[in-house]
Amino acid sequence: MKVLIVGSGAREHALARSLHLDPHVEELHAVPGNPGIGQLATLHSQDPNDGDAIATLAVNVRADLVIVGPEAPLVAGVADAVREVGIPCFGPSAEAAMLEGSKAFAKEIMAAAHVPTAEPRVCRTSAELAAALGDFGAPYVVKDDGLAAGKGVVVTEDLTAATAHGAAILDAGGVIVVEDFLDGPEVSLFCLCDGSTVVPLQPAQDFKRAYNGDEGLNTGGMGAYSPLPWAPPGLVDDVVRTVAQPTVDEMARRGTPFQGVLYCGLAMTSAGMRVVEFNARFGDPETQSVLARLATPLGGVLLAAAEGRLAELPPLEWRDEAAVTVVLAAHGYPEQVRSGDPITGAEAADDVDGAHVLHAGTSWDDNGALVASGGRVLSVVGTGATLADARATAYGALDRIGLPGSHHRTDIALAASVGEAAGA
C-alpha cells in the first residue's frame, strides 16, 4: 500500500510512524511533512489546503490511500478533491467537517441526535454576548465558532476577560458560542467512522493549559496519556452508544456521511458525561499516546474506514502498556513564539528504550541544523508497564533534549499515575 499523509505536525509524525511499522505499507509520502516525517516518507511541497494540488499529487505518486491530518484542509475540502479522482481518503468531506468548522453547527447536530452536551448560546453582537454571559454566569465559557487551532476558547471567572475574548472574535468578523460550564475531568475519545459504522480507539486525556497545575493560557495541548485508570467502566461503549453513533447516524440522515475520525471531547461531570466539543480529525497530542498503544496495523484500518468496510474488521488489538506524551514548547509559547533556536539531543532522546520523539515545529536551517520553527516543537512519548513507568521514560528522554528558552509541563499524567482523575 502507498499512503500520502497531509499535514506537518506531531500528529502526522505519529501517523507516519505507525504506518511505517505496518508491514502492508510499502511507501509513504507526506505534504508538507517535517524533518522527522522526512526520515520515514518522501516529502512534497504542495499547499496542504489546495485540494486540486493534493489530488494531483496523490495521482502522481499512485497513492492507495490519502490521510488528511489537520482540520484546515478538511474544512477546505481536500478530502472531497481526493475522492473525486477516485482515491480513497481518510477524512470527512468539507460539509461533514463542519462538525469542527462550526461549533454552532455541531450543537445543532447534537441537539438533533439527542447527544448530551452543554447548553449553548450563539452570539453575533456585543449585546447578545453580554446577555449570554449574564445568563450563564461564572465560570464563563466563550468559544470562537470557527477554527482557532485549539486556542479559541476562554474559560474564566473574570467577566472582563470573557467579554474581551468575545469582543476580539466579533471584531475579527467571527461568531461566538457561549456555553454553560461543564465541571469534572475531561476525556478524549477518537472514533473511526466510515459513514455508518463506528469503531472506537482507547480513551486519552490531554492537558490544554500551558503550565503545571492547569495554569496559564489554553494551548493546542501540552501533553497526554492513555489509558485512563480512573475512567468509569463501560465509558467507551457508552460514548459510542449515546454520542458517536447517533451523531454519525444524523450526519448520514442529512446526506453528509462522516468518514474519518470523530473526536469526542468529553467532560465527566457530576451530572454525567457531556460532550465539550467535536473535532473532525485525530487530536494532538492525544494521538501520539493512543497510537503508541495500538497493536493492530494502522494502514488497513484507515483504508477500511475510507472504503466503508469497518464492519468487516476484527476487533482492534491493544498493547498492554501505558503511554505518556510530553510536549516541548518554544520560548514564548503560546503567545510570542521565538523561532530559530537550535535543537540538540533529539536523536539521543529517541534512543531511550521505550521512548520516541515526534517532530512538530521543527525545520532545517541554512546550515543543515535542526531548529525550532513553531510553538509546540517536539512530542516526547514514553511507554511502560504503568503510567508511572511511562512518565519516567518520557521525562528521562526529554532531559536529553536541549532547546534554549523552551518549557514543558512536569505534571503530565502525574495524578493519574497515583490513581487520581485530574482535570485537563
Side-chain angles (χ1 to χ4, degrees), residues 8-353:
S8 61
R11 164 187 51 221
E12 287 76 34
H13 194 176
L15 288 165
R17 179 180 181 272
S18 290
L19 291 165
H20 178 71
L21 295 172
D22 184 338
H24 297 102
V25 176
E26 60 181 349
E27 194 173 303
L28 275 175
H29 296 264
V31 55
N34 62 43
I37 296 173
Q39 296 176 356
L40 308 174
T42 301
L43 303 186
H44 303 268
S45 59
Q46 283 83 351
D47 180 354
N49 296 321
D50 185 335
D52 291 338
I54 299 302
T56 299
L57 174 63
V59 170
N60 290 341
V61 302
R62 300 181 179 180
D64 299 297
L65 173 66
V66 175
I67 301 168
V68 183
E71 59 272 30
L74 291 169
V75 172
V78 168
D80 304 80
V82 171
R83 291 191 183 100
E84 286 173 5
V85 298
I87 296 175
C89 186
F90 183 82
S93 66
E95 285 187 286
M98 291 308 290
L99 277 176
E100 179 169 5
S102 169
K103 293 176 178 62
F105 174 73
K107 290 292 186 179
E108 176 189 325
I109 294 295
M110 283 187 256
H114 306 291
V115 170
T117 187
E119 180 186 347
R121 191 81 58 82
V122 179
C123 306
R124 292 179 172 83
T125 68
S126 56
E128 291 175 344
L129 171 63
L133 293 174
D135 289 345
F136 282 121
Y140 304 101
V141 182
V142 183
K143 298 182 177 182
D144 190 333
D145 179 60
L147 299 179
K151 291 177 279 188
V153 180
V154 161
V155 180
T156 179
E157 298 276 352
D158 187 339
L159 178 59
T160 300
T163 302
H165 182 65
I169 294 169
L170 292 175
D171 290 345
V175 175
I176 303 162
V177 176
V178 178
E179 293 183 359
D180 197 13
F181 174 74
L182 297 176
D183 63 333
E186 293 189 10
V187 174
S188 298
L189 182 67
F190 305 146
C191 292
L192 307 183
C193 311
D194 65 4
S196 57
T197 300
V198 173
V199 174
L201 302 185
Q202 289 291 302
Q205 186 181 62
D206 78 327
F207 294 74
K208 296 180 177 67
R209 299 283 185 169
Y211 305 117
N212 285 358
D214 294 327
E215 298 291 333
L217 296 174
N218 266 351
T219 72
M222 295 298 291
Y225 68 93
S226 180
L228 310 184
W230 50 266
L235 172 64
V236 172
D237 290 341
D238 287 346
V239 175
V240 172
R241 178 177 53 84
T242 64
V243 175
Q245 192 67 60
T247 299
V248 169
D249 291 345
E250 176 63 19
M251 294 295 287
R253 188 189 68 79
R254 294 180 178 222
T256 54
F258 189 94
Q259 290 181 283
V261 176
L262 180 63
Y263 173 135
C264 302
L266 312 163
M268 309 306 295
T269 78
S270 55
M273 182 264 294
R274 299 288 186 273
V275 174
V276 176
E277 65 176 355
F278 283 146
N279 289 335
R281 39 72 192 182
F282 283 109
D284 183 337
E286 300 99 314
T287 299
Q288 290 89 296
S289 289
V290 172
L291 291 187
R293 300 184 57 225
L294 180 64
T296 300
L298 183 64
V301 176
L302 300 190
L303 181 61
E307 294 183 336
R309 299 183 290 102
L310 279 177
E312 302 173 8
L313 296 183
L316 299 179
E317 296 181 1
W318 296 91
R319 296 185 178 90
D320 188 20
E321 61 183 6
V324 172
T325 298
V326 183
V327 170
L328 182 67
H331 179 279
Y333 182 77
E335 296 183 282
Q336 297 298 316
V337 175
R338 188 173 73 194
S339 295
D341 287 323
I343 302 166
T344 59
E347 291 184 358
D350 216 25
D351 288 339
V352 172
D353 187 34

Side-chain angles (χ1 to χ4, degrees), residues 322 324 384-394 413 416-418:
V324 172
T386 66
L387 282 174
D389 293 336
R391 266 180 50 84
T393 299
S417 70
V418 294

